Amino acid sequence: MKKLALLFAGLSLFVATGCNDDGDNTMEYPLVGVWQPLKEVVTTVEVGEEPVSDLITYTDCEKESRWRFNTEASGKRTRNGDIGTTTPQCTIISDQNFTYTYDRSAKTVVIKYQGIVEPSNGKIVTLNDTTLNLSIREETQDPTVYKTRTYTMRRIPQ
């Protein structure tokens, strides 16, 4: 009986000290912040066809655009573009306020632009201290065609 008690005590000690898991060691990075878009990929899927992806590289002017996600679940998207033909000038071509909901566990984002009825449904593909890949599904007129825009962005220090 003493051997059984000693074995039980040893196993209990092993279980109590052998595993120290204080939680997940992966760090979660916040969506909140200012993001600089670097490029986007537009993927079109037609039912029964192979997906087609197009890479859109941004100009230096377009890279001055910003996506701002505030802590109050609101934000602002500022798009820059070159205006003019002979001597293009970089200027803000749209400024859109939005509200958003972010489900961290499902990695989904629903963005509702001010004045637009349909929300944009997005998925966080990558989110770390420097990079955000945000994939947003677009509605099309044809129910057999699906389109997704995936934005690659870099966090801008504030």
Side-chain angles (χ1 to χ4, degrees), residues 17 29 39 50 54 59 135-136 152:
T17 61
Y29 295 96
K39 65 180 178 180
E50 289 291 319
D54 294 313
T59 65
S135 182
I136 297 179
T152 298

Side-chain angles (χ1 to χ4, degrees), residues 28-29 31 73 100-111 122-125 127 134:
E28 273 194 46
Y29 295 96
L31 178 61
Y100 70 96
T101 54
Y102 173 42
D103 183 340
R104 187 176 301 212
S105 61
K107 296 188 184 255
T108 58
V109 179
V110 177
I111 299 173
K123 184 87 172 160
I124 302 288
V125 179
L127 176 59
L134 174 62

Side-chain angles (χ1 to χ4, degrees), residues 85-156:
T85 52
T86 53
T87 55
Q89 186 173 356
C90 186
T91 188
I92 295 173
I93 57 175
S94 74
D95 232 358
Q96 295 177 293
N97 292 317
F98 61 83
T99 58
Y100 70 96
T101 54
Y102 173 42
D103 183 340
R104 187 176 301 212
S105 61
K107 296 188 184 255
T108 58
V109 179
V110 177
I111 299 173
K112 175 92 167 115
Y113 287 99
Q114 187 176 9
I116 297 176
V117 177
E118 291 294 316
S120 296
N121 296 312
K123 184 87 172 160
I124 302 288
V125 179
T126 306
L127 176 59
N128 59 39
D129 61 338
T130 59
T131 304
L132 168 64
N133 285 330
L134 174 62
S135 182
I136 297 179
R137 183 172 171 190
E138 291 183 2
E139 297 299 320
T140 64
Q141 300 290 342
D142 186 345
T144 64
V145 176
Y146 302 94
K147 188 178 277 193
T148 304
R149 288 185 186 273
T150 303
Y151 299 91
T152 298
M153 298 184 240
R154 176 176 58 207
R155 188 182 299 273
I156 302 295

